[in-house]
Amino acid sequence: MGDIAVVGIDCAFPGAAGVQAYWDLLMRGGDGIGPVPAQRWEARDFPAVSGSGGFLDDADVFDSDFFSVTPREAAAMDPHHRLLLPCAWRALEDSGLAPGDLAGTETGVFVGVMGGEWGRLTMSDLARVTPLLGAGSSAGMAANRISYHFNFTGPSLAVDTACSSSLVAVHLAAGSLLTGECDTALAGGVNIVLSPSLGMVYGQLGLAASDGRCKPFSADADGIGRSDGVGLVVLRRLEDALADGQRIYAVLRGSAVNQDGRSNGVIAPNRWSQQRVLDSAYRRAGVTPDRVAFVEAHGTGTVLGDAIECAALGAVHGVPRETPCAIGSVKGNLGHTEGAAGIAGLIKTVLALHHRIVPASLFADRENPRLRLGERGMRLLKSPMRLPRGESLAGVSSFGMGGTNAHAVLGSAPRIPRAAGARTGGTRDAVGVFTVSGDTPEALRRNLAAQAEAVAGRPRGGAAALCWSSNRIKTGLPHRFAVPVRDTDELVAQLRRAAGPQDAAGSGGRPWGKPVVAFLFTGQGSEFPGMTAGLHRDSPAYRRHLAEADEALAAHLGTSVRELILSGDERVHRPAFAQPALFAVGYALARTLTSLGITPAAVLGHSLGEYAAAVTAGALSLDEAARLVVRRGALMGELPAGGGMLAAATGPEGLAELLAGEPDTVLAALNGPADTVVSGPLEALERIGRALAGRGVRVKPLPVSHAFHSPLMAPAAAGLRTESVRCEPPAVPVASTRHGRMLRHELMDAGYWADQIEEPVLMDSALGALVADVAPTHLIEIGPRGTLLQIAARGGRAAGAELLHPAPGAEATGRELAETVAALYRGGLDPLWEELYAPGHRVVEALSPYVFSSAQRHWDRQALVRTARSDTPRPADAEAVTAPSVTAPSVTAPPGTGAHDDDPVLLAVVQAVTEVGGYPPERVVREARLYEDLGFDSVMIMQLKNQVEARLPRVGEVSVQQMLPALRSVGSLAAFLDDMLLARSA
């Protein structure tokens, strides 16, 4: 048998709501046994059943909104189903995955569940049977519910072999993985003690513990105590888990299932069958029993069951070995969780192998001497047992009442040699983006608070690996939070601030679409020595892409522009070096963003910035652009000095008279309505500047070496015009600052680049064309210093767009890049997060599981359990477990509301939706979407159709096919019916 990795776990058992709580309970020797809650039944009404057992505190809680289940359907659902759905979500998160990422995959679901008590309790009154109860009461739907809500298309089956159900489910899941039916599998089981009926059966068979406690292998053992529980593990083939870098708790080496056959009773255990299933499991695992350090036994605490199991265990494990085989049973802590018993034992064993310590077995202090454990080569664990270094092996047994036996063999996780430098791939204070998402604003705040407390409980240190883990796991829900951080102290502070009810820091709410991004590439004048050095230090992606540009430029420049940039060399101000340096920075920034999944809808380059923009748009290759930029810089560097440029806060009309008096000066850039640059001789620019200042116009000389975009550039333009340029039509729309409009399929050839040198930069017109063409939600400046975003803001061309800059100046580090990614994630982007982190930080860290809402509870004891004293059934709360039949009340507003008084059709639709779904009227607003927000399915649509026809008889009969296009929302259905009424009236 091939090896199967356990990569994710979630569970809830009595006294242990969660994996860590379960482990804590086991290690402290605690138990979850307590009195029967009044919610289940009145213990005094059933004196034949123990008044104690193991009960989950919140078995009635279900976040139906999260799973898009209507309140009425949630009330009709088997509580086993309601427990499984959040357990599945958290288990997948624990495996290092966002559960939504598996939607549409052939993920398998295998669930052990015993009996069908909910169906018997709710379907016995035939007058109250409904479609929702029919679907909700089937134990066979337990796995199907998960597959449906998560959109898994792999094998999906519920397994009922009584008490061995969940371990058999794990066995079947492993087989499905090994045959290639699925690549990921959820396996486990669930049990809820809904009524005392099975306890009465145990009592009549003499198998029930008087105090409701299982006491496995103890001299005091007197029977079974029943308990609730739910647990799921995420399984993958070991080689796949290793390849994907998932945390591995333990490895399933092999398993086996068999049957007692015809023994001395259908519910009596069979020693020889138990022996055979052990032998078969070890054979399939390729191990010998002497290597097994401990066995998590079935261990129900019945006199006969313990005796037969120990005889079977001794026959297999009582072989020559250095130390006796340790045994124990978690039923001493939890009671007998029946359909979930196997998974309870398996999770205990997996955690023991993971932590390398086996918890003691409760009630072991009074070991039953009749079991002769020592003679049989075994010992009952009276205290925790530490596991030695190296691989440890363990067994888990689970035996069904009807004779189906299962045994699994597990081994500790393989030691994974770390690649050289795996933990040194980035600095300890590397920046990352921590993400959290929730299905509602309240859920987001709830989970922000939970993450804050979880991180606060960790050792202080760098947060990059935590951030990377959050990007993989916590990003799949509609309401989004993201914040850049370097260490855990900063992260805790940010999470707590954002979790506050009045503070939305870092939270972009719910994006309703994907962001539309435009890149604006800065031109010459933005360069400075050491530009982007901080980003280069922090970002592996930027380092890689700057090196690409440097290699392309070095072939033509003869030196390393990267070294020039990072060394702080003042030569960066000379055109021959400034232009290649700025091109390299622009290219590297743009490639860093696109490698993160940030794809521009359009690009714009200001003067020199058009070269990097052209590469990003696919109009020029990197090598061709590098050659042209080096040639351009060399040609300009050969020009005589003496010119300059002057920025003025006025439009061309305010400069016309002054330019007429200075014939050697020209308009070099039209950046905005009142944002113009003049180019020409320095003396003339000084005179123009003094004149403008005298009129109260702000002016600023630009730090450039030449009078760019003026007739003085003619020799350089002529030199470039003779070049042969290999170019393609842009694949991404280009807002041309040469023409002041969008380029579609035009070539950016030698003539384009020559004209671009001496003609004015039409920035304002180009930006206006870009905004009109793609309507960007975000403008990102690509360059080492902020200039173009300021121009855009002053000109009012991009009102409403968010302005971002990943490298906004000399103090910029990786934080600004991280904030750019965070802002776009909040705006609806799903980034390629890996590119933000060094390999050494791409390590899965455990995060606090998702915290579901506990506001909604679905339980009605009176509808389920008739007391022993009652001759007639108590009246059932129809709202709890049934959907009422269709009636045709008059169209009146719900009590206390008048929101739809002026629209009787809308009111009728709201009432129909309220009736079918069981929602409070205030939830059913015009904008509510029937499928996504209200959780309607095909059965409910049929009921809705009947309700609408009953409430609006003038509409007549409406087919579902007619209604389907109108089922987008409550309002769209009302509008459709309104049109139907008008048509029928006409």
Side-chain angles (χ1 to χ4, degrees):
M1 180 174 176
D3 288 345
I4 300 295
V6 180
V7 297
I9 308 172
D10 189 67
C11 62
F13 294 111
V19 176
Q20 187 57 51
Y22 184 38
W23 181 246
D24 291 344
L25 178 84
L26 295 173
M27 286 305 296
R28 72 171 187 270
D31 71 73
I33 308 304
V36 176
Q39 183 192 57
R40 307 292 178 99
W41 64 85
E42 293 293 347
R44 66 177 181 273
D45 292 339
F46 299 93
V49 179
S50 172
S52 297
F55 301 96
L56 293 173
D57 290 335
D58 295 311
D60 58 340
V61 168
F62 177 57
D63 191 349
S64 58
D65 287 344
F66 182 92
F67 292 101
S68 297
V69 175
T70 67
R72 196 173 299 280
E73 184 182 11
M77 280 172 63
D78 188 328
H80 293 83
H81 303 180
R82 300 199 299 251
L83 282 180
L84 283 166
L85 286 170
C87 184
W89 184 276
R90 289 187 296 252
L92 288 168
E93 281 196 336
D94 190 59
S95 74
L97 297 170
D101 289 349
L102 290 175
T105 67
E106 294 182 341
T107 295
V109 183
F110 302 81
V111 173
V113 58
M114 179 171 158
E117 197 167 30
W118 179 258
R120 291 196 299 272
L121 292 168
T122 58
M123 298 283 283
S124 57
D125 185 348
L126 299 183
R128 297 176 57 195
V129 170
T130 68
L132 292 179
L133 275 178
S137 63
S138 167
M141 293 279 283
N144 304 157
R145 285 277 185 190
I146 297 173
S147 298
Y148 169 74
H149 285 284
F150 288 75
N151 191 22
F152 297 155
T153 62
S156 179
L157 59 145
V159 180
D160 187 352
T161 59
C163 315
S164 60
S165 298
S166 54
L167 196 60
V168 173
V170 171
H171 170 79
L172 294 174
S176 182
L177 286 163
L178 292 173
T179 60
E181 276 189 321
C182 58
D183 294 327
T184 300
L186 276 163
V190 60
N191 194 66
I192 305 179
V193 181
L194 291 171
S195 79
S197 58
L198 189 56
M200 295 171 71
V201 172
Y202 287 158
Q204 292 165 7
L205 290 170
L207 300 177
S210 59
D211 59 359
R213 295 175 182 271
C214 295
K215 297 174 276 290
F217 312 119
S218 169
D220 300 322
D222 62 346
I224 292 169
R226 299 183 67 205
S227 292
D228 300 339
V230 60
L232 290 169
V233 292
V234 181
L235 304 176
R236 300 204 63 203
R237 291 181 290 271
L238 178 61
E239 60 268 27
D240 293 341
L242 290 170
D244 290 346
Q246 290 179 287
R247 174 185 54 190
I248 298 171
Y249 284 101
V251 175
L252 178 62
R253 296 284 301 273
S255 60
V257 172
N258 74 357
Q259 230 288 329
D260 286 350
R262 188 171 181 85
S263 57
N264 60 344
V266 70
I267 63 172
N270 183 317
R271 168 188 170 176
W272 312 109
S273 290
Q274 292 182 15
Q275 255 179 252
R276 284 193 294 270
V277 82
L278 293 168
D279 287 333
S280 179
Y282 293 135
R283 185 172 61 254
R284 297 188 72 192
V287 303
T288 53
D290 61 295
R291 295 178 55 199
V292 177
F294 68 98
V295 172
E296 172 63 20
H298 186 58
T300 57
T302 62
V303 175
L304 179 63
D306 283 2
I308 288 178
E309 182 172 13
C310 286
L313 286 170
V316 174
H317 296 92
V319 294
R321 50 191 298 152
E322 292 183 9
T323 57
C325 179
I327 67 168
S329 171
V330 76
K331 292 179 180 65
N333 307 89
L334 304 180
H336 193 350
T337 54
E338 298 170 340
I343 198 65
L346 183 111
I347 291 175
K348 171 189 171 181
T349 305
V350 165
L351 292 175
L353 290 167
H354 178 66
H355 294 291
R356 307 204 66 78
I357 185 169
V358 187
S361 189
L362 216 55
F363 302 106
D365 54 330
R366 281 180 46 79
E367 179 180 322
N368 185 351
R370 296 182 179 180
L371 301 177
R372 300 168 23 232
L373 295 179
E375 297 175 30
R376 291 169 163 159
M378 296 181 294
R379 67 184 181 100
L380 188 59
L381 279 179
K382 298 178 173 60
S383 60
M385 179 181 78
R386 292 209 169 271
L387 296 173
R389 290 173 177 258
E391 184 186 35
S392 295
L393 296 173
V396 182
S397 289
S398 194
F399 307 138
M401 182 182 289
T404 298
N405 309 304
H407 189 75
V409 184
L410 294 112
S412 47
R415 291 180 60 86
I416 303 170
R418 290 198 180 119
R423 283 286 187 178
T424 58
T427 59
R428 180 179 177 275
D429 63 345
V431 69
V433 175
F434 195 86
T435 49
V436 183
S437 63
D439 64 312
T440 65
E442 296 75 18
L444 180 58
R445 284 194 291 272
R446 185 170 64 244
N447 280 277
L448 287 167
Q451 293 301 326
E453 296 316 302
V455 176
R458 298 174 61 93
R460 299 166 69 181
L466 279 173
C467 289
W468 182 77
S469 299
S470 75
N471 304 155
R472 282 172 57 99
I473 300 167
K474 299 291 186 178
T475 52
L477 299 172
H479 293 269
R480 299 177 168 203
F481 165 90
V483 66
V485 293
R486 289 188 183 276
D487 58 53
T488 54
D489 288 345
E490 181 185 10
L491 176 55
V492 170
Q494 293 281 11
L495 288 169
R496 286 175 172 164
R497 184 177 301 113
Q502 304 303 320
D503 197 327
S507 175
R510 177 176 187 168
W512 292 99
K514 299 293 184 184
V516 179
V517 177
F519 288 178
L520 310 183
F521 291 81
T522 313
Q524 194 167 347
S526 60
E527 72 279 354
F528 58 90
M531 56 186 175
T532 70
L535 177 61
H536 187 271
R537 180 187 67 244
D538 283 354
S539 170
Y542 181 73
R543 289 196 295 272
R544 185 170 69 253
H545 296 307
L546 186 63
E548 291 171 4
D550 184 47
E551 183 179 2
L553 289 161
H556 309 286
L557 190 63
T559 188
S560 169
V561 74
R562 178 182 56 184
E563 296 303 319
L564 180 86
I565 292 169
L566 299 176
S567 66
D569 195 321
E570 290 293 333
R571 288 183 297 164
V572 78
H573 291 300
R574 301 180 191 172
F577 295 108
Q579 296 189 20
L582 284 170
F583 169 76
V585 167
Y587 168 84
L589 281 172
R591 284 288 292 120
T592 298
L593 293 175
T594 56
S595 70
L596 283 159
I598 304 168
T599 303
V603 298
L604 177 153
H606 193 286
S607 185
L608 175 72
E610 285 203 293
Y611 285 87
V615 175
T616 303
L620 292 178
S621 68
L622 170 60
D623 289 338
E624 186 69 355
R627 182 182 69 82
L628 291 173
V629 167
V630 171
R631 178 65 174 148
R632 184 184 196 265
L635 288 168
M636 290 188 175
E638 294 168 1
L639 297 174
M645 304 178 82
L646 180 74
T650 185
E653 67 282 353
L655 290 164
E657 180 184 349
L658 294 172
L659 292 178
E662 299 284 356
D664 292 332
T665 60
V666 295
L667 293 176
L670 303 176
N671 290 329
D675 207 335
T676 309
V677 177
V678 179
S679 185
L682 291 174
E683 298 80 2
L685 294 179
E686 288 175 8
R687 290 191 290 272
I688 291 173
R690 286 194 298 271
L692 289 171
R695 300 175 188 175
V697 176
R698 287 182 293 104
V699 295
K700 179 184 178 182
L702 298 182
V704 297
S705 58
H706 291 75
F708 299 121
H709 300 284
S710 76
L712 296 176
M713 296 290 106
L720 206 56
R721 201 178 302 276
T722 61
E723 293 290 326
S724 175
V725 177
R726 297 186 301 276
C727 56
E728 299 287 341
V732 174
V734 175
S736 167
T737 54
R738 164 66 189 91
H739 296 305
R741 58 175 172 79
M742 301 301 293
L743 295 183
R744 297 297 179 187
H745 304 292
E746 300 163 66
L747 294 176
M748 302 176 82
D749 55 15
Y752 183 94
W753 297 114
D755 291 344
Q756 193 239 26
I757 290 179
E758 54 185 344
E759 296 295 330
V761 179
L762 305 179
M763 169 73 183
D764 187 48
S765 299
L767 183 58
L770 183 150
V771 170
D773 193 64
V774 302
T777 59
H778 296 76
L779 295 179
I780 303 181
E781 181 155 0
I782 309 294
R785 201 196 314 263
T787 59
L788 300 187
L789 293 181
Q790 296 173 29
I791 289 172
R794 287 197 301 266
R797 285 290 191 184
E802 188 171 354
L803 308 180
L804 303 171
H805 196 168
E811 302 302 317
T813 63
R815 182 180 291 273
E816 290 79 7
L817 173 63
E819 175 51 43
T820 298
V821 180
L824 290 167
Y825 167 73
R826 295 192 296 264
L829 180 75
D830 294 316
L832 302 175
W833 293 103
E834 283 77 5
E835 286 295 303
L836 196 62
Y837 302 91
H841 293 133
R842 299 176 201 163
V843 179
V844 176
E845 296 280 355
L847 297 173
S848 179
Y850 190 83
V851 181
F852 293 91
S853 170
S854 60
Q856 298 164 314
R857 293 176 180 267
H858 306 273
W859 200 283
D860 178 34
R861 178 180 63 84
Q862 293 185 1
L864 301 179
V865 181
R866 302 177 188 180
T867 70
R869 301 176 182 179
S870 176
D871 296 325
T872 59
R874 300 180 184 178
D877 178 1
E879 191 70 26
V881 295
T882 67
S885 59
V886 174
T887 58
S890 60
V891 180
T892 57
T897 72
H900 310 302
D901 288 347
D902 59 343
D903 190 340
V905 175
L906 178 60
L907 176 59
V909 172
V910 168
Q911 289 182 328
V913 171
T914 300
E915 182 71 15
V916 173
Y919 286 106
E922 60 271 15
R923 277 287 305 276
V924 187
V925 296
R926 182 190 297 269
E927 297 79 12
R929 297 171 297 173
L930 287 162
Y931 297 114
E932 296 91 337
D933 299 329
L934 299 177
F936 271 52
D937 59 20
S938 58
V939 173
M940 294 177 192
I941 293 301
M942 283 298 301
Q943 294 176 320
L944 179 63
K945 167 189 172 310
N946 296 338
Q947 288 281 349
V948 165
E949 290 174 349
R951 283 175 162 77
L952 297 171
R954 288 171 50 213
V955 171
E957 186 175 350
V958 183
S959 71
V960 172
Q961 285 73 20
Q962 287 176 297
M963 286 176 57
L964 281 176
L967 294 175
R968 298 185 304 278
S969 68
V970 170
S972 65
L973 177 57
F976 164 76
L977 294 170
D978 212 15
D979 291 343
M980 290 279 292
L981 275 173
L982 288 173
R984 298 280 162 87
S985 299

